[in-house]
Amino acid sequence: PRSNRAKSKEHKRLNTHKLVLQYIVPCMNSYGLCIVDNFLGDRIGERVVQEVKRIHQSGNMQDGQLVSQKLNKSKAIRGDKIAWVDGTESGCQNIGYLLTRMDKLITCADGKLDKFKISGRHKAMVACYPGNGAGYVKHVDNPNADGRCVTCIYYLNKNWNAKEHGGLLRIFPEGKSYVADIEPLFDRLLLFWSDRRNPHEVQPSYATRYAITVWYFDSEERAEAKRKFRDLTANSQEGSSS
Ligand SMILES: O=C(O)CCC(=O)Nc1cc2ccccc2cn1
Ligand SMILES: [Mn+2]
């Protein structure tokens, strides 16, 4: 007879299959974005939060980009601080587990997400908005076919209240009459197409706001982007040598 552990592993695998095929794939193909709540569960979600807070407190996050400079230089407001993590670093094993769970979802959905063939991903980008009113201006993650096709964000903020803390992610789905206002709630996973279909912004945040973002590559678009980049750098070298 199979052990309970084996059964629960099988049970989890079937759940992932069901979640992907009956919810994530149809949702992504209809709306271009999809929210999965309670992705890891409270226990492991909490451990991921602790690891991210330790990264933040250890000063291992790059200073956020300048978002506004008052007249006297000292009042520069900085936006999100980021750190790149691949999940194998010491003290990041729960972030590592999150990344394997995200990879399992994407692998299971592969071939059914729009016309993409997923060939890999970036390292994870751990981001922290310091809560000083900074947000992130409206933008498209991949406006010029750099290969990124799906943006996957895991939020880590317990008791987040957008009325008080702001920090909503507002997505403006291209050609749609509605916007999607997404609260960065603890243990929430968000997926959306990285291209021009999903311009988005982070509204000013008035409490510390953590998120982990991963971008998945479409193999063809990525290969094409690399070829273009190679030609570009080759031409520029040619230019300089001639
Ligand atoms: O935290 C969220 O809800 C999303 C924030 C967000 O869009 N972050 C972001 C951060 C980026 C950093 C570098 C280059 C491109 C980037 C695109 N998007
Ligand atoms: Mn973005």
Side-chain angles (χ1 to χ4, degrees), residues 1 8 14 21 50 59 63 73-74 86 106 112 122 135-136 152 158 162 164 170 174 192 204:
S8 82
L14 287 175
L21 299 184
Q50 292 318 319
D63 256 353
K73 290 272 178 276
S74 62
D86 65 17
I106 294 291
K112 301 178 184 67
H122 256 293
Y136 205 101
C152 201
K158 287 209 160 179
E164 200 185 330
R170 172 164 286 182
E174 188 182 40
F192 58 90

Side-chain angles (χ1 to χ4, degrees), residues 14-39 105 108-109 112-114 180 182 187-193:
L14 287 175
N15 273 351
T16 303
H17 229 86
K18 197 162 152 267
L19 172 69
V20 169
L21 299 184
Q22 293 182 12
Y23 174 59
I24 294 178
V25 165
C27 192
M28 284 296 283
N29 288 326
S30 309
Y31 299 102
L33 63 105
C34 177
I35 292 177
V36 178
D37 277 320
N38 309 310
F39 181 56
L105 278 193
C108 177
K112 301 178 184 67
L113 289 175
D114 199 337
I182 296 151
D187 203 20
R188 167 170 281 185
L189 189 71
L190 166 68
L191 301 98
F192 58 90
W193 304 134

Side-chain angles (χ1 to χ4, degrees), residues 146-158:
D146 66 22
R148 290 177 292 167
C149 59
V150 176
T151 301
C152 201
I153 308 180
Y154 181 72
Y155 293 110
L156 298 142
N157 308 289
K158 287 209 160 179

Side-chain angles (χ1 to χ4, degrees), residues 130-171:
N132 56 2
Y136 205 101
V137 292
K138 187 173 174 180
H139 66 281
V140 169
D141 282 355
N142 172 14
N144 310 312
D146 66 22
R148 290 177 292 167
C149 59
V150 176
T151 301
C152 201
I153 308 180
Y154 181 72
Y155 293 110
L156 298 142
N157 308 289
K158 287 209 160 179
N159 314 316
W160 190 270
N161 171 355
K163 290 182 190 35
E164 200 185 330
H165 307 133
L168 283 177
L169 172 71
R170 172 164 286 182
I171 302 182

